Amino acid sequence: MDELLSATHPRMFSLQKIVEISYYNMGRIRLQWSRIWEVIGDHFNKVGCNPNEDVAIFAVDSLRQLSMKFLEKGELANFRFQKDFLRPFEHIMKRNRSPTIRDMVVRCIAQMVNSQAANIRSGWKNIFSVFHLAASDQDESIVELAFQTTGHIVTIVFEKHFPATIDSFQDAVKCLSEFACNAAFPDTSMEAIRLIRHCAKYVSDRPQAFKEYTSDDMNVAPEDRVWVRGWFPILFELSCIINRCKLDVRTRGLTVMFEIMKTYGHTYEKHWWQDLFRIVFRIFDNMKLPEQQTEKAEWMTTTCNHALYAICDVFTQYLEVLSDVLLDDIFAQLYWCVQQDNEQLARSVTNCLENVVILNGEKFTLEIWDKTCNCMLDIFKTTIPHTLLTWRPVGGETVPVSPSSVREKQLDTISQKSVDIHDSVHPRSSDKRQILPIVGSTASEEVNKTRPTAKFPEQKLFGALLIKCVVQMELIQTIDNIVFFPATSKKEDAENLAAAQRDAVDFDVHVDTQDQGMYCFLTSQQLFKLLDCLLESHRFAKAFNSNNEQRTALWKAGFKGKSKPNLLKQETSSLACGLRVLFRMYMDESRASAWEEVQQRLLNVCSEALSYFLTLTSESHREAWTNLLLLFLTKVLKISDDRVSTTPSISSSISVGQSGTVEWDVPYHHRNIALLLLQLDMLQ
């Protein structure tokens, strides 16, 4: 070391002699040689990091020659001499920042792999460690050569010498993960993910090799070794790529991660899935999400959104295994996502819930159906935007109300100039998936581009309220689709309208998809639970639409567009879905035991709805109820005579007295129905 200390003229005579001595003593027994190398290897560590590049180059080149000679001897099972011998390369790569030396180390290791792969055993760990350090480099030539050699090992060497490399399989996957996370070389990142996917094939094809593998540091049951040494490292490193990389790379990592689950999941034990989804749910971990709001929004709209659909796909594919393991976690995750004030993610929650139930509902047990209904109930309750009815301007400012608006409140609750809060809601695509950001305005953007009078805290609040309105509407549609199958209700409405235009009720209308829904798999109590959600949503929307003063205050504060907000779609669609459920149950012979409660609920709902409708004076508000009224009248007229034989017919129970007043000969709860028929007659 003293010889090498001169900054200008270091002498390398003794260094040369050490190399020769090492060469001549290499024939000693391994125990003696390892003690010699403890001293000499440490010397090479220091010399390889010498600030004088000539000295460091000589040291690395000498190490290369010695290593090639040493590797020729091979290594017996359960020995680790190669690992000790090659450690100086690792040390130099870690400590020496000279591009020349780092490039040389990578070239030396590449040469060893190309010429001595068959003899390498424990040395693979050092080799992958060097390439792992090279993977994060910014020098293109270093990264490219290291990656080429790593690719050669994974595709060629693993194929030929897999049992010899199994000890370092985890190191290889970790190394590929590091290449994938180097943002400076996106093409290398994508290729590294492809190679990780290739590694999964080795685990699938050679499970016995993992079962038979033993090491001093591993106390794992033989049947779990393929998971601990094979599958888990692959899936864990893919999750690291997802959490560390930019959008295009993490999206590819996410896709490959779930491809592996879908392709090889049939070989996984139940407790492996539990470990796996602890990794998967890290994607949604608030503590790990980006701090900046724009990045966080992008993360939720893309990665969380994509992951949500993928999780539901895997759950559907392996339902029998995962229903016990994963269902509670999936519902908890859906509930978390809907609370994140991200419109795209919130929409995805309802779509995923719908997909899971429609695809798997036939196999659900009573317990799973209870959990599903409770999940929908929880999401419904947490997303009712109660603040819409209670919000007041900051500082207690009151919104001036002109005499004309007072008059409007009295005469017209919903004018044609008012705007439905759900008008910004983009219709679902045919496959219901919206993985990419929505084209057009989202709820939060609606607020941001509205009147400049809305201050930032109010903008944030209004954005969150709009998202809750969106979720309410989506959930109503989800319940309708789950119970009756997608598009069934829309088709029924179209047929009812066509029949009304022909001035005839088509008693033979048959909707093909009627029996494809989950109605027959739900108990009456579960249907009542969903019905309660729908009616609560309906009553909230009705209260909001009737509160003209509050809607005016929100409009003037810049809540939504240039017109007063309303919740007409929520008011009508929630009630329509509720009526469909009740009438279907009322006509269902298999639910005869629940008919008494169904009838009472049906009469209460209809009475309340029709009473409300008859108070409406706004033309546009009444028009919004057209499909709802058609649905109600069609359903009433289709009730069989047997069901109403005990009740006097409405038409024969109404008479006009001598004074011209209407006289009733029916129970009170039928009067609103009769009154509606008369009202419609007068409108015609």
Side-chain angles (χ1 to χ4, degrees):
M1 285 303 295
D2 286 345
E3 280 190 347
L4 299 171
L5 285 178
S6 170
T8 51
H9 299 291
R11 295 180 66 234
M12 287 186 275
F13 175 80
S14 295
L15 180 58
Q16 174 67 49
K17 291 302 170 192
I18 286 174
V19 174
E20 291 173 11
I21 288 168
S22 301
Y23 183 80
Y24 292 133
N25 281 273
M26 213 176 277
R28 287 175 179 264
I29 61 169
R30 292 291 185 261
L31 191 61
Q32 290 179 337
W33 169 246
S34 64
R35 289 175 182 168
I36 293 171
W37 190 250
E38 269 182 42
V39 180
I40 296 177
D42 184 57
H43 184 66
F44 273 112
N45 287 345
K46 294 170 185 171
V47 177
C49 295
N50 193 294
N52 187 310
E53 217 164 68
D54 291 336
V55 173
I57 287 172
F58 183 86
V60 172
D61 188 57
S62 300
L63 267 174
R64 177 189 63 81
Q65 293 177 52
L66 289 171
S67 301
M68 295 290 277
K69 185 69 178 173
F70 188 75
L71 290 174
E72 284 175 10
K73 296 176 178 293
E75 186 176 61
L76 298 173
N78 301 318
F79 283 89
R80 298 286 181 272
F81 294 120
Q82 289 182 354
K83 191 175 170 185
D84 296 335
F85 195 89
L86 297 178
R87 196 167 282 134
F89 286 107
E90 210 177 317
H91 181 91
I92 295 166
M93 193 70 184
K94 195 178 291 183
R95 303 293 171 85
N96 197 324
R97 303 313 304 167
S98 163
T100 305
I101 302 302
R102 293 169 68 78
D103 182 81
M104 189 173 181
V105 170
V106 171
R107 290 184 186 283
C108 290
I109 296 291
Q111 187 184 0
M112 284 179 223
V113 170
N114 291 328
S115 60
Q116 297 293 337
N119 292 327
I120 302 173
R121 294 287 184 277
S122 64
W124 287 117
K125 278 191 173 294
N126 309 86
I127 289 169
F128 286 122
S129 181
V130 169
F131 289 157
H132 184 276
L133 293 164
S136 56
D137 210 295
Q138 298 304 300
D139 188 308
E140 186 175 1
S141 62
I142 292 174
V143 174
E144 191 174 335
L145 179 60
F147 183 68
Q148 280 179 0
T149 312
T150 306
H152 171 77
I153 296 168
V154 169
T155 54
I156 307 297
V157 179
F158 275 13
E159 191 69 46
K160 292 180 180 176
H161 310 290
F162 194 71
T165 60
I166 199 167
D167 185 44
S168 57
F169 183 79
Q170 289 170 277
D171 302 279
V173 176
K174 193 173 182 180
C175 181
L176 289 170
S177 171
E178 195 65 23
F179 280 112
C181 292
N182 190 332
F185 308 103
D187 290 344
T188 301
S189 299
M190 293 298 191
E191 184 62 14
I193 293 171
R194 187 191 70 79
L195 288 175
I196 293 176
R197 176 79 173 80
H198 191 74
C199 287
K201 193 171 183 303
Y202 288 120
V203 183
S204 173
D205 293 347
R206 298 168 168 86
Q208 199 59 35
F210 287 94
K211 285 179 185 176
E212 292 168 357
Y213 172 77
T214 55
S215 70
D216 301 335
D217 62 337
M218 197 164 118
N219 186 21
V220 180
E223 60 273 15
D224 288 337
R225 285 174 190 164
V226 67
W227 171 251
V228 174
R229 285 282 183 177
W231 292 120
F232 188 83
I234 288 172
L235 295 161
F236 178 79
E237 291 304 333
L238 284 168
S239 80
C240 292
I241 292 169
I242 295 163
N243 287 310
R244 287 176 58 190
C245 295
K246 292 191 181 294
L247 178 60
D248 52 348
V249 177
R250 72 171 182 256
T251 301
R252 183 66 192 141
L254 190 67
T255 304
V256 168
M257 183 191 216
F258 282 98
E259 272 178 12
I260 290 171
M261 288 187 221
K262 291 173 186 177
T263 307
Y264 305 111
H266 63 279
T267 65
Y268 296 179
E269 300 291 335
K270 187 177 281 192
H271 60 282
W272 298 359
W273 284 107
Q274 290 175 314
D275 290 345
L276 172 54
F277 274 95
R278 273 197 285 272
I279 301 171
V280 172
F281 287 130
R282 287 173 59 202
I283 296 167
F284 303 93
D285 192 338
N286 242 336
M287 301 300 291
K288 294 185 173 66
L289 291 179
E291 291 297 320
Q292 293 183 344
Q293 197 58 37
T294 51
E295 285 184 25
K296 190 171 183 176
E298 184 203 45
W299 180 278
M300 287 186 173
T301 306
T302 55
T303 305
C304 290
N305 194 56
H306 185 170
L308 211 53
Y309 280 109
I311 289 167
C312 292
D313 286 347
V314 169
F315 178 78
T316 298
Q317 187 172 342
Y318 300 109
L319 177 69
E320 290 180 12
V321 179
L322 298 181
S323 56
D324 297 339
V325 177
L326 192 58
L327 188 66
D328 290 343
D329 291 331
I330 285 185
F331 285 158
Q333 203 60 63
L334 292 174
Y335 185 74
W336 178 87
C337 289
V338 89
Q339 294 177 302
Q340 300 309 304
D341 292 342
N342 183 288
E343 182 182 351
Q344 179 62 33
L345 195 57
R347 290 168 180 279
S348 296
V349 167
T350 57
N351 289 343
C352 285
L353 190 58
E354 182 182 317
N355 291 342
V356 165
V357 176
I358 288 175
L359 293 171
N360 305 296
E362 295 178 10
K363 302 170 191 170
F364 279 7
T365 62
L366 185 63
E367 184 189 3
I368 293 177
W369 272 117
D370 279 336
K371 288 180 179 178
T372 306
C373 291
N374 287 335
C375 176
M376 285 192 265
L377 187 66
D378 290 342
I379 294 174
F380 244 118
K381 284 184 173 177
T382 201
T383 56
I384 292 178
H386 293 292
T387 313
L388 279 180
L389 293 175
T390 59
W391 178 85
R392 291 290 178 270
V394 179
E397 304 166 24
T398 56
V399 179
V401 182
S402 65
S404 62
S405 66
V406 173
R407 219 170 28 253
E408 184 187 348
K409 180 184 175 184
Q410 295 167 344
L411 301 174
D412 186 13
T413 55
I414 305 288
S415 72
Q416 290 185 339
K417 291 181 180 178
S418 70
V419 59
D420 195 304
I421 289 173
H422 302 107
D423 282 348
S424 69
V425 175
H426 301 271
R428 299 182 181 188
S429 58
S430 57
D431 66 352
K432 305 196 197 98
R433 302 206 172 194
Q434 299 167 325
I435 290 171
L436 296 174
I438 306 171
V439 178
S441 59
T442 60
S444 53
E445 288 167 351
E446 279 288 329
V447 173
N448 292 338
K449 72 184 182 186
T450 54
R451 300 152 65 106
T453 52
K455 298 166 188 167
F456 179 73
E458 289 174 348
Q459 281 188 358
K460 193 172 180 184
L461 172 67
F462 290 168
L465 289 172
L466 277 171
I467 290 167
K468 286 186 174 184
C469 294
V470 168
V471 175
Q472 285 282 301
M473 195 64 209
E474 291 276 311
L475 269 172
I476 293 163
Q477 187 64 55
T478 293
I479 290 178
D480 193 280
N481 289 347
I482 287 171
V483 177
F484 300 112
F485 198 74
T488 304
S489 299
K490 193 176 285 187
K491 185 176 179 183
E492 187 181 23
D493 284 343
E495 289 171 342
N496 290 341
L497 182 60
Q501 288 168 340
R502 295 196 304 273
D503 199 19
V505 177
D506 187 353
F507 289 94
D508 298 321
V509 166
H510 175 68
V511 182
D512 295 335
T513 51
Q514 182 169 299
D515 296 325
Q516 289 180 274
M518 294 293 123
Y519 168 83
C520 55
F521 297 99
L522 287 152
T523 66
S524 296
Q525 288 309 310
Q526 289 163 348
L527 286 168
F528 287 147
K529 195 175 279 189
L530 297 180
L531 186 65
D532 290 338
C533 293
L534 293 166
L535 294 178
E536 188 177 354
S537 185
H538 164 71
R539 287 174 186 132
F540 174 83
K542 192 167 68 173
F544 180 73
N545 291 336
S546 302
N547 193 336
N548 195 52
E549 187 178 339
Q550 181 68 10
R551 289 169 47 233
T552 301
L554 287 164
W555 165 52
K556 293 192 174 181
F559 175 61
K560 168 86 170 113
K562 298 179 180 177
S563 304
K564 275 191 287 187
N566 67 63
L567 290 171
L568 275 186
K569 288 179 184 173
Q570 183 174 325
E571 177 185 291
T572 54
S573 60
S574 54
L575 183 58
C577 186
L579 287 174
R580 282 189 177 92
V581 171
L582 283 169
F583 276 110
R584 179 83 183 266
M585 293 177 77
Y586 191 62
M587 305 289 284
D588 187 351
E589 298 284 343
S590 67
R591 297 188 191 270
S593 60
W595 274 355
E596 189 176 339
E597 186 176 352
V598 171
Q599 180 170 309
Q600 193 57 50
R601 281 173 174 263
L602 192 55
L603 292 170
N604 290 342
V605 169
C606 292
S607 175
E608 182 187 330
L610 297 172
S611 299
Y612 173 69
F613 175 77
L614 293 171
T615 64
L616 301 179
T617 55
S618 159
E619 189 66 30
S620 54
H621 199 161
R622 292 166 72 85
E623 280 179 12
W625 275 61
T626 302
N627 279 343
L628 192 55
L629 294 175
L630 282 172
L631 172 71
F632 166 71
L633 290 170
T634 306
K635 293 289 186 186
V636 168
L637 289 168
K638 286 184 181 180
I639 295 175
S640 66
D641 293 341
D642 296 340
R643 296 302 306 281
V644 292
S645 59
T646 56
T647 306
S649 115
I650 288 173
S651 56
S652 63
S653 304
I654 307 171
S655 58
V656 181
Q658 291 179 351
S659 61
T661 58
V662 175
E663 295 177 356
W664 308 89
D665 186 26
V666 292
Y668 176 77
H669 52 242
H670 288 296
R671 294 181 187 180
N672 276 328
I673 299 174
L675 186 56
L676 175 64
L677 293 171
L678 289 175
Q679 183 80 8
L680 290 173
D681 231 16
M682 286 186 278
L683 286 173
Q684 286 178 347

